[in-house]
Tab-separated table of all heavy atoms in Angstrom:
chain	number	residue	atom	x	y	z
A	1	ARG	N	0.843	-1.220	0.088
A	1	ARG	CA	0.020	-0.030	0.003
A	1	ARG	C	0.939	1.258	0.050
A	1	ARG	O	1.993	1.229	0.543
A	1	ARG	CB	-0.921	0.005	1.110
A	1	ARG	CG	-1.895	-1.307	1.133
A	1	ARG	CD	-2.873	-1.236	2.343
A	1	ARG	NE	-3.958	-0.356	1.770
A	1	ARG	CZ	-5.104	-0.049	2.612
A	1	ARG	NH1	-5.175	-0.463	3.823
A	1	ARG	NH2	-6.044	0.698	2.067
A	2	LEU	N	0.418	2.353	-0.635
A	2	LEU	CA	1.131	3.486	-0.849
A	2	LEU	C	0.463	4.682	0.042
A	2	LEU	O	-0.693	4.511	0.510
A	2	LEU	CB	1.118	3.910	-2.308
A	2	LEU	CG	1.938	2.944	-3.145
A	2	LEU	CD1	1.855	3.235	-4.669
A	2	LEU	CD2	3.414	2.867	-2.685
A	3	PRO	N	1.147	5.859	0.151
A	3	PRO	CA	0.556	6.861	1.067
A	3	PRO	C	-0.802	7.442	0.588
A	3	PRO	O	-1.590	7.708	1.596
A	3	PRO	CB	1.616	7.988	0.890
A	3	PRO	CG	2.906	7.251	0.547
A	3	PRO	CD	2.466	6.170	-0.289
A	4	TYR	N	-1.125	7.264	-0.604
A	4	TYR	CA	-2.508	7.716	-1.024
A	4	TYR	C	-3.629	6.957	-0.375
A	4	TYR	O	-4.757	7.303	-0.274
A	4	TYR	CB	-2.705	7.571	-2.500
A	4	TYR	CG	-2.851	6.227	-3.098
A	4	TYR	CD1	-4.194	5.611	-2.914
A	4	TYR	CD2	-1.942	5.564	-3.819
A	4	TYR	CE1	-4.346	4.316	-3.393
A	4	TYR	CE2	-2.123	4.248	-4.239
A	4	TYR	CZ	-3.336	3.604	-4.118
A	4	TYR	OH	-3.580	2.392	-4.635
A	5	ALA	N	-3.205	5.761	0.195
A	5	ALA	CA	-4.358	4.892	0.926
A	5	ALA	C	-4.948	5.657	2.037
A	5	ALA	O	-6.104	5.356	2.411
A	5	ALA	CB	-3.686	3.608	1.360
A	6	SER	N	-4.253	6.579	2.575
A	6	SER	CA	-4.861	7.455	3.659
A	6	SER	C	-5.607	8.606	3.061
A	6	SER	O	-4.976	9.543	2.633
A	6	SER	CB	-3.671	7.919	4.586
A	6	SER	OG	-4.222	8.805	5.610
A	7	ILE	N	-6.925	8.448	3.155
A	7	ILE	CA	-7.812	9.669	2.751
A	7	ILE	C	-7.891	10.563	4.086
A	7	ILE	O	-8.664	10.215	4.898
A	7	ILE	CB	-9.142	9.185	2.290
A	7	ILE	CG1	-9.047	8.266	1.164
A	7	ILE	CG2	-10.025	10.457	1.910
A	7	ILE	CD1	-8.406	8.828	-0.173
A	8	ASN	N	-7.151	11.540	4.014
A	8	ASN	CA	-7.068	12.410	5.186
A	8	ASN	C	-8.274	13.410	5.181
A	8	ASN	O	-8.591	13.967	4.159
A	8	ASN	CB	-5.788	13.220	5.225
A	8	ASN	CG	-4.479	12.576	5.328
A	8	ASN	OD1	-4.528	11.339	5.926
A	8	ASN	ND2	-3.433	12.918	4.704
A	9	LYS	N	-8.862	13.502	6.385
A	9	LYS	CA	-10.002	14.490	6.459
A	9	LYS	C	-10.070	15.113	7.904
A	9	LYS	O	-9.754	14.414	8.892
A	9	LYS	CB	-11.303	13.781	6.088
A	9	LYS	CG	-11.765	12.643	7.079
A	9	LYS	CD	-12.913	11.846	6.509
A	9	LYS	CE	-13.442	10.833	7.396
A	9	LYS	NZ	-14.459	11.358	8.319
A	10	ILE	N	-10.496	16.217	7.965
A	10	ILE	CA	-10.808	16.875	9.256
A	10	ILE	C	-12.292	16.880	9.425
A	10	ILE	O	-12.780	16.596	10.551
A	10	ILE	CB	-10.351	18.340	9.193
A	10	ILE	CG1	-8.802	18.292	9.211
A	10	ILE	CG2	-10.765	19.034	10.459
A	10	ILE	CD1	-7.989	17.780	10.429
A	11	THR	N	-13.090	17.013	8.441
A	11	THR	CA	-14.597	16.982	8.456
A	11	THR	C	-15.094	16.191	7.181
A	11	THR	O	-14.315	15.983	6.239
A	11	THR	CB	-15.107	18.372	8.462
A	11	THR	OG1	-14.737	18.937	7.248
A	11	THR	CG2	-14.676	19.173	9.627
A	12	SER	N	-16.283	15.773	7.168
A	12	SER	CA	-16.931	15.231	6.168
A	12	SER	C	-18.478	15.434	6.316
A	12	SER	O	-18.805	16.112	7.260
A	12	SER	CB	-16.646	13.656	6.073
A	12	SER	OG	-17.306	12.984	7.158
A	13	HIS	N	-19.262	14.911	5.331
A	13	HIS	CA	-20.684	15.097	5.524
A	13	HIS	C	-21.208	14.694	6.892
A	13	HIS	O	-22.225	15.226	7.377
A	13	HIS	CB	-21.442	14.424	4.417
A	13	HIS	CG	-21.417	12.874	4.523
A	13	HIS	ND1	-20.419	12.232	4.000
A	13	HIS	CD2	-22.261	12.031	5.079
A	13	HIS	CE1	-20.698	10.824	4.331
A	13	HIS	NE2	-21.835	10.808	4.958
A	14	ASP	N	-20.653	13.638	7.367
A	14	ASP	CA	-21.006	12.994	8.687
A	14	ASP	C	-20.347	13.624	9.847
A	14	ASP	O	-19.251	13.230	10.106
A	14	ASP	CB	-20.631	11.500	8.554
A	14	ASP	CG	-21.331	10.740	9.659
A	14	ASP	OD1	-22.020	11.283	10.587
A	14	ASP	OD2	-21.178	9.470	9.752
A	15	GLY	N	-20.930	14.680	10.429
A	15	GLY	CA	-20.257	15.321	11.473
A	15	GLY	C	-20.406	16.899	11.339
A	15	GLY	O	-21.081	17.485	10.544
A	16	PHE	N	-19.678	17.614	12.231
A	16	PHE	CA	-19.541	18.988	12.199
A	16	PHE	C	-18.934	19.523	10.906
A	16	PHE	O	-18.011	18.828	10.356
A	16	PHE	CB	-18.692	19.595	13.355
A	16	PHE	CG	-19.501	19.651	14.622
A	16	PHE	CD1	-18.891	19.378	15.816
A	16	PHE	CD2	-20.882	20.038	14.752
A	16	PHE	CE1	-19.475	19.311	17.071
A	16	PHE	CE2	-21.447	20.133	15.957
A	16	PHE	CZ	-20.771	19.858	17.108
A	17	THR	N	-19.357	20.616	10.402
A	17	THR	CA	-18.589	21.348	9.381
A	17	THR	C	-17.345	22.042	10.034
A	17	THR	O	-17.291	22.004	11.353
A	17	THR	CB	-19.394	22.450	8.793
A	17	THR	OG1	-19.625	23.505	9.766
A	17	THR	CG2	-20.692	21.923	8.135
A	18	LEU	N	-16.396	22.514	9.373
A	18	LEU	CA	-15.256	23.168	9.986
A	18	LEU	C	-15.616	24.261	10.924
A	18	LEU	O	-15.050	24.335	12.014
A	18	LEU	CB	-14.246	23.589	8.921
A	18	LEU	CG	-13.016	24.214	9.338
A	18	LEU	CD1	-12.144	23.181	10.354
A	18	LEU	CD2	-12.123	24.609	8.226
A	19	ARG	N	-16.448	25.117	10.367
A	19	ARG	CA	-16.807	26.288	11.248
A	19	ARG	C	-17.496	25.856	12.603
A	19	ARG	O	-17.266	26.398	13.533
A	19	ARG	CB	-17.818	27.185	10.498
A	19	ARG	CG	-18.182	28.551	11.178
A	19	ARG	CD	-18.939	29.370	10.471
A	19	ARG	NE	-19.361	30.610	11.230
A	19	ARG	CZ	-20.246	31.500	10.831
A	19	ARG	NH1	-21.085	31.286	9.701
A	19	ARG	NH2	-20.525	32.488	11.549
A	20	ASP	N	-18.402	24.795	12.448
A	20	ASP	CA	-19.077	24.350	13.680
A	20	ASP	C	-18.093	23.653	14.591
A	20	ASP	O	-18.247	23.681	15.843
A	20	ASP	CB	-20.220	23.343	13.166
A	20	ASP	CG	-21.355	24.150	12.615
A	20	ASP	OD1	-21.426	25.302	12.595
A	20	ASP	OD2	-22.323	23.427	12.085
A	21	LEU	N	-17.060	23.027	14.116
A	21	LEU	CA	-16.047	22.364	14.835
A	21	LEU	C	-15.384	23.315	15.782
A	21	LEU	O	-14.983	22.958	16.896
A	21	LEU	CB	-15.115	21.694	13.974
A	21	LEU	CG	-13.979	20.716	14.581
A	21	LEU	CD1	-14.682	19.432	15.119
A	21	LEU	CD2	-12.958	20.391	13.520
A	22	VAL	N	-15.205	24.608	15.352
A	22	VAL	CA	-14.515	25.599	16.170
A	22	VAL	C	-15.433	26.478	16.868
A	22	VAL	O	-15.083	27.405	17.540
A	22	VAL	CB	-13.506	26.341	15.352
A	22	VAL	CG1	-12.426	25.455	14.806
A	22	VAL	CG2	-14.171	27.164	14.289
A	23	SER	N	-16.855	26.164	16.907
A	23	SER	CA	-17.825	27.005	17.460
A	23	SER	C	-18.786	26.316	18.382
A	23	SER	O	-19.521	26.916	19.090
A	23	SER	CB	-18.699	27.554	16.292
A	23	SER	OG	-17.940	28.342	15.396
A	24	PHE	N	-18.714	25.014	18.514
A	24	PHE	CA	-19.616	24.295	19.308
A	24	PHE	C	-18.912	23.116	20.095
A	24	PHE	O	-18.051	22.410	19.509
A	24	PHE	CB	-20.707	23.536	18.411
A	24	PHE	CG	-21.644	24.451	17.813
A	24	PHE	CD1	-21.373	24.982	16.460
A	24	PHE	CD2	-22.875	24.930	18.407
A	24	PHE	CE1	-22.325	25.905	15.815
A	24	PHE	CE2	-23.690	25.840	17.813
A	24	PHE	CZ	-23.514	26.295	16.494
A	25	ASN	N	-19.132	23.048	21.351
A	25	ASN	CA	-18.570	21.958	22.171
A	25	ASN	C	-19.660	20.747	22.116
A	25	ASN	O	-19.156	19.610	22.350
A	25	ASN	CB	-18.358	22.414	23.567
A	25	ASN	CG	-17.196	23.103	23.787
A	25	ASN	OD1	-16.410	23.461	22.883
A	25	ASN	ND2	-16.950	23.735	25.035
A	26	GLN	N	-20.903	21.074	21.863
A	26	GLN	CA	-21.858	20.085	21.818
A	26	GLN	C	-22.660	20.073	20.575
A	26	GLN	O	-22.757	21.057	19.854
A	26	GLN	CB	-22.929	20.259	22.968
A	26	GLN	CG	-22.243	20.455	24.333
A	26	GLN	CD	-21.505	19.278	24.856
A	26	GLN	OE1	-21.972	18.173	24.539
A	26	GLN	NE2	-20.500	19.434	25.723
A	27	LYS	N	-23.180	18.869	20.176
A	27	LYS	CA	-24.001	18.720	18.960
A	27	LYS	C	-25.405	19.376	19.265
A	27	LYS	O	-25.760	19.406	20.442
A	27	LYS	CB	-24.147	17.230	18.596
A	27	LYS	CG	-24.826	16.456	19.753
A	27	LYS	CD	-24.844	14.940	19.319
A	27	LYS	CE	-25.601	14.203	20.500
A	27	LYS	NZ	-25.680	12.724	20.193
A	28	HIS	N	-25.991	19.863	18.262
A	28	HIS	CA	-27.305	20.457	18.340
A	28	HIS	C	-28.228	19.878	17.312
A	28	HIS	O	-28.464	20.618	16.292
A	28	HIS	CB	-27.156	22.029	18.307
A	28	HIS	CG	-26.357	22.654	19.425
A	28	HIS	ND1	-26.961	23.120	20.604
A	28	HIS	CD2	-25.038	22.799	19.613
A	28	HIS	CE1	-26.037	23.530	21.411
A	28	HIS	NE2	-24.896	23.236	20.875
A	29	ASN	N	-28.744	18.738	17.533
A	29	ASN	CA	-29.472	17.980	16.397
A	29	ASN	C	-30.974	17.843	16.705
A	29	ASN	O	-31.618	16.995	16.284
A	29	ASN	CB	-28.886	16.602	16.273
A	29	ASN	CG	-27.466	16.533	16.016
A	29	ASN	OD1	-26.844	17.489	15.687
A	29	ASN	ND2	-26.884	15.398	15.964
A	30	GLN	N	-31.501	18.890	17.521
A	30	GLN	CA	-32.960	18.784	17.936
A	30	GLN	C	-33.824	18.708	16.587
A	30	GLN	O	-34.881	18.058	16.703
A	30	GLN	CB	-33.286	20.001	18.698
A	30	GLN	CG	-32.770	19.957	20.197
A	30	GLN	CD	-31.181	20.398	20.297
A	30	GLN	OE1	-30.627	20.797	19.210
A	30	GLN	NE2	-30.685	20.374	21.393
A	31	ALA	N	-33.500	19.370	15.592
A	31	ALA	CA	-34.279	19.424	14.472
A	31	ALA	C	-34.528	18.029	13.788
A	31	ALA	O	-35.422	17.881	12.980
A	31	ALA	CB	-33.723	20.381	13.335
A	32	ASN	N	-33.718	16.961	14.159
A	32	ASN	CA	-33.794	15.632	13.529
A	32	ASN	C	-34.862	14.807	14.161
A	32	ASN	O	-35.136	13.735	13.646
A	32	ASN	CB	-32.409	15.008	13.687
A	32	ASN	CG	-31.328	15.668	12.944
A	32	ASN	OD1	-31.579	16.633	12.234
A	32	ASN	ND2	-30.071	15.094	13.168
A	33	GLY	N	-35.500	15.243	15.103
A	33	GLY	CA	-36.608	14.472	15.746
A	33	GLY	C	-36.216	13.325	16.605
A	33	GLY	O	-37.046	12.500	16.874
A	34	GLU	N	-35.025	13.369	17.067
A	34	GLU	CA	-34.566	12.285	17.997
A	34	GLU	C	-34.135	12.764	19.308
A	34	GLU	O	-33.259	12.057	19.965
A	34	GLU	CB	-33.471	11.431	17.314
A	34	GLU	CG	-33.907	10.756	16.040
A	34	GLU	CD	-32.935	9.923	15.303
A	34	GLU	OE1	-32.248	9.071	16.054
A	34	GLU	OE2	-32.692	9.971	14.165
A	35	GLN	N	-34.562	13.894	19.661
A	35	GLN	CA	-34.233	14.542	20.981
A	35	GLN	C	-32.858	14.623	21.210
A	35	GLN	O	-32.205	14.488	22.273
A	35	GLN	CB	-34.834	13.718	22.314
A	35	GLN	CG	-36.369	13.727	22.264
A	35	GLN	CD	-36.978	12.940	21.226
A	35	GLN	OE1	-36.790	11.783	21.128
A	35	GLN	NE2	-38.021	13.514	20.493
A	36	ASN	N	-32.027	14.922	20.110
A	36	ASN	CA	-30.562	15.167	20.173
A	36	ASN	C	-29.788	13.948	20.638
A	36	ASN	O	-28.661	14.053	21.026
A	36	ASN	CB	-30.252	16.335	21.128
A	36	ASN	CG	-28.928	17.016	20.806
A	36	ASN	OD1	-28.573	17.046	19.590
A	36	ASN	ND2	-28.159	17.495	21.795
A	37	ARG	N	-30.376	12.825	20.435
A	37	ARG	CA	-29.680	11.574	20.762
A	37	ARG	C	-28.828	11.034	19.666
A	37	ARG	O	-27.944	10.187	19.762
A	37	ARG	CB	-30.676	10.389	21.196
A	37	ARG	CG	-31.432	10.699	22.477
A	37	ARG	CD	-32.187	9.400	23.011
A	37	ARG	NE	-33.182	9.006	22.057
A	37	ARG	CZ	-34.439	9.385	22.153
A	37	ARG	NH1	-34.863	10.098	22.992
A	37	ARG	NH2	-35.289	8.899	21.113
A	38	ASP	N	-29.196	11.448	18.440
A	38	ASP	CA	-28.484	10.946	17.274
A	38	ASP	C	-27.149	11.750	17.069
A	38	ASP	O	-26.947	12.760	17.657
A	38	ASP	CB	-29.409	11.036	16.057
A	38	ASP	CG	-29.690	12.509	15.676
A	38	ASP	OD1	-30.201	13.197	16.644
A	38	ASP	OD2	-29.437	13.007	14.569
A	39	GLY	N	-26.265	11.143	16.196
A	39	GLY	CA	-25.047	11.908	15.972
A	39	GLY	C	-23.866	11.624	17.003
A	39	GLY	O	-24.280	11.233	18.159
A	40	ASN	N	-22.722	11.744	16.641
A	40	ASN	CA	-21.657	11.465	17.533
A	40	ASN	C	-21.478	12.496	18.645
A	40	ASN	O	-21.598	13.732	18.326
A	40	ASN	CB	-20.319	11.519	16.616
A	40	ASN	CG	-19.141	10.788	17.376
A	40	ASN	OD1	-19.116	10.610	18.631
A	40	ASN	ND2	-18.152	10.321	16.626
A	41	SER	N	-21.320	12.085	19.859
A	41	SER	CA	-21.202	12.907	20.932
A	41	SER	C	-19.663	13.185	21.261
A	41	SER	O	-19.355	14.086	22.145
A	41	SER	CB	-21.749	12.344	22.155
A	41	SER	OG	-23.254	12.258	22.019
A	42	ASN	N	-18.836	12.643	20.538
A	42	ASN	CA	-17.340	12.705	20.861
A	42	ASN	C	-16.708	13.310	19.534
A	42	ASN	O	-16.184	12.669	18.748
A	42	ASN	CB	-16.646	11.339	21.150
A	42	ASN	CG	-15.215	11.585	21.602
A	42	ASN	OD1	-14.796	12.596	22.015
A	42	ASN	ND2	-14.569	10.451	21.555
A	43	ASN	N	-16.640	14.675	19.603
A	43	ASN	CA	-16.366	15.339	18.281
A	43	ASN	C	-14.991	15.971	18.368
A	43	ASN	O	-14.491	16.582	17.313
A	43	ASN	CB	-17.303	16.458	17.901
A	43	ASN	CG	-18.734	15.831	17.717
A	43	ASN	OD1	-18.953	15.314	16.558
A	43	ASN	ND2	-19.638	15.953	18.662
A	44	TYR	N	-14.290	16.020	19.486
A	44	TYR	CA	-13.004	16.705	19.578
A	44	TYR	C	-13.085	18.213	19.132
A	44	TYR	O	-12.230	18.573	18.430
A	44	TYR	CB	-11.900	15.995	18.887
A	44	TYR	CG	-11.729	14.531	19.285
A	44	TYR	CD1	-12.174	13.486	18.505
A	44	TYR	CD2	-11.035	14.210	20.439
A	44	TYR	CE1	-12.096	12.122	19.052
A	44	TYR	CE2	-10.859	12.965	20.879
A	44	TYR	CZ	-11.355	11.917	20.114
A	44	TYR	OH	-11.270	10.628	20.497
């Protein structure tokens, strides 16, 4: 395997955007209808 095998990412569709990553400590998914239980709670 070569170095390209590592697809490096800080963000993706699944998770915070970059701006949200530096603006929120907690997820805010109330609009999804699951009482904010969905989504990753460990976002660094």
Side-chain angles (χ1 to χ4, degrees):
R1 304 189 79 181
L2 295 174
Y4 76 76
S6 174
I7 304 295
N8 298 333
K9 64 191 187 87
I10 296 294
T11 59
S12 65
H13 71 274
D14 189 0
F16 280 141
T17 67
L18 179 63
R19 185 179 178 192
D20 290 352
L21 189 68
V22 299
S23 303
F24 295 90
N25 282 357
Q26 309 295 329
K27 62 186 180 182
H28 295 267
N29 300 351
Q30 287 82 2
N32 296 355
E34 298 183 47
Q35 292 75 51
N36 206 35
R37 293 192 299 265
D38 62 309
N40 196 338
S41 297
N42 190 18
N43 296 285
Y44 302 101

